[in-house]
Amino acid sequence: MNPIHLETLLTIVEEGSFEVAAAVLGISPSAVSQRIKSLEAATGRVLLRRTNPVTATDAGEIIVQAERRMALLQAETDVALGRRLARVPLSVAINSDSLATWFRGVIDETARRGEAALRIRIEDEARTLALLRRGDVLGAVTREHTPVSGCESSFIGTMRYHAVACPRLAREFAAGEITWETMPLVGYGPNDQTVNDAMRERFIDSHVVRARVSQIPSSEGYLEAVRCGLGWGLISKLQARELLKAGQLVLLDDKPLDIDLYWQRWRLESEVLEALTRDVLDAARALAPSKLGKARDS
């Protein structure tokens, strides 16, 4: 297959548009279309869904993932040859809570080495695996231990979450003035699996509380919303610790929610990807050694 055609396919998928891909590549939209037609003729498959945004078909995703791997190896080769201005792009999927806490150590180490560019995708840890499976990212922090085909999985630790609220809501809850189903709730977004798990453990009917759920799609914003009293929420132990000590947050019960996290990455011979994996494991263990176990690879 023509490498230029493969690059064009990847650019279209990343940009979601033939027109934007043409601008990025510095060619006309008709030239982009012609390249894709030639690639589809060579493979005998339809590779793109002509929707808005444009997405890859199942066959297209296989080729896109292969092209991403080749692009990573090419970028590493460029760096090894001494073109130090070129950085190896590392796309990573991670949940917002991890990014706000232990993953900062990974960013520090990546910056210190200066040989890779991080491209972080924020997604719930229960959903990051879909990005890895499609080849959109090289590595992902996920709940799933079983490795995706072509990937390896390492245990990185357990994030503990507590149901907390501001002192005012906590007092009303303790006094019986409000219940789990009448107390306002703060969620990260419509796909917040952590909050959904906590509600299920407390037998809270999601349909009953739906009208009282605020959605704050930022880890720092979420923490502030709970602190201010917009509703109760699930806050990681790492984020809640100081506010609990200061009395700005109060535990609502003694039912912590523990979520095991795993680092899944492509099984690919890559020095930069290996270094990133070491940084992920080291950063997680350094921040909460009492909750982290020995890494196990599959």
Side-chain angles (χ1 to χ4, degrees):
M1 287 178 281
N2 189 317
I4 294 177
H5 295 170
L6 295 175
E7 179 189 15
T8 302
L9 176 67
L10 177 59
T11 304
I12 293 171
V13 172
E14 289 183 337
E15 302 299 336
S17 163
F18 278 69
E19 291 74 18
V20 177
V24 170
L25 295 170
I27 59 177
S28 68
S30 61
V32 169
S33 296
Q34 188 57 49
R35 289 180 182 181
I36 296 303
K37 288 179 181 177
S38 297
L39 184 58
E40 289 180 330
T43 59
R45 298 285 190 279
V46 175
L47 303 177
L48 293 172
R49 300 184 184 92
R50 273 68 169 179
T51 54
N52 187 19
V54 178
T55 59
T57 63
D58 290 345
E61 286 182 357
I62 293 173
I63 296 177
V64 165
Q65 184 171 355
E67 173 60 14
R68 289 186 195 277
R69 296 187 184 202
M70 288 188 286
L72 174 62
L73 291 175
Q74 181 61 56
E76 282 196 322
T77 301
D78 290 344
V79 172
L81 288 173
R83 298 178 214 167
R84 308 310 282 183
L85 291 180
R87 291 191 168 201
V88 178
L90 294 175
S91 300
V92 176
I94 185 171
N95 58 310
S96 182
D97 293 340
S98 291
L99 180 60
T101 52
W102 63 267
F103 200 81
R104 292 178 178 179
V106 179
I107 296 174
D108 288 343
E109 285 300 307
T110 302
R112 182 185 61 79
R113 278 194 300 273
E115 61 185 11
L118 275 179
R119 298 176 182 174
I120 296 177
R121 300 276 297 271
I122 300 297
E123 185 57 271
D124 185 272
E125 65 273 10
R127 297 174 179 269
T128 52
L129 216 58
L131 298 175
L132 186 66
R133 187 176 288 111
R134 290 201 305 266
D136 292 344
V137 295
L138 303 173
V141 174
T142 174
R143 294 186 179 197
E144 180 57 48
H145 169 249
T146 304
V148 170
S149 177
C151 296
E152 61 184 38
S153 175
S154 300
F155 176 68
I156 56 177
T158 303
M159 287 201 78
R160 169 161 286 188
Y161 291 84
H162 295 284
V164 298
C166 71
R168 173 182 57 82
L169 287 178
R171 286 194 299 270
E172 293 175 2
F173 180 72
E177 298 172 13
I178 54 176
T179 66
W180 286 117
E181 292 190 340
T182 60
M183 185 166 37
L185 168 64
V186 181
Y188 183 81
N191 299 319
D192 190 341
Q193 188 61 48
T194 304
V195 167
N196 290 340
D197 290 347
M199 291 172 62
R200 185 166 54 252
E201 284 193 356
R202 291 162 178 80
F203 303 102
I204 303 171
D205 188 334
S206 60
H207 297 288
V208 173
V209 302
R210 180 180 300 171
R212 288 183 291 281
V213 178
S214 298
Q215 293 182 359
I216 310 293
S218 156
S219 185
E220 292 83 356
Y222 184 95
L223 180 63
E224 181 64 11
V226 176
R227 188 193 69 80
C228 290
L230 188 61
W232 73 276
L234 261 289
I235 306 293
S236 71
K237 179 181 179 181
L238 294 171
Q239 292 178 294
R241 185 164 45 206
E242 295 304 317
L243 291 176
L244 287 169
K245 288 181 180 178
Q248 296 186 56
L249 289 178
V250 179
L251 291 175
L252 294 176
D253 60 21
D254 58 355
K255 296 180 180 179
L257 176 64
D258 288 341
I259 297 178
D260 288 342
L261 296 179
Y262 299 86
W263 169 249
Q264 291 211 28
R265 47 151 290 191
W266 286 359
R267 190 179 295 115
L268 181 67
E269 294 297 326
S270 164
E271 292 183 5
V272 177
L273 190 52
E274 290 288 349
L276 177 65
T277 295
R278 289 195 299 271
D279 292 342
V280 167
L281 299 178
D282 291 345
R285 293 172 188 150
L287 198 56
S290 63
K291 288 297 293 176
L292 296 168
K294 180 180 179 182
R296 46 184 183 270
D297 298 328
S298 300

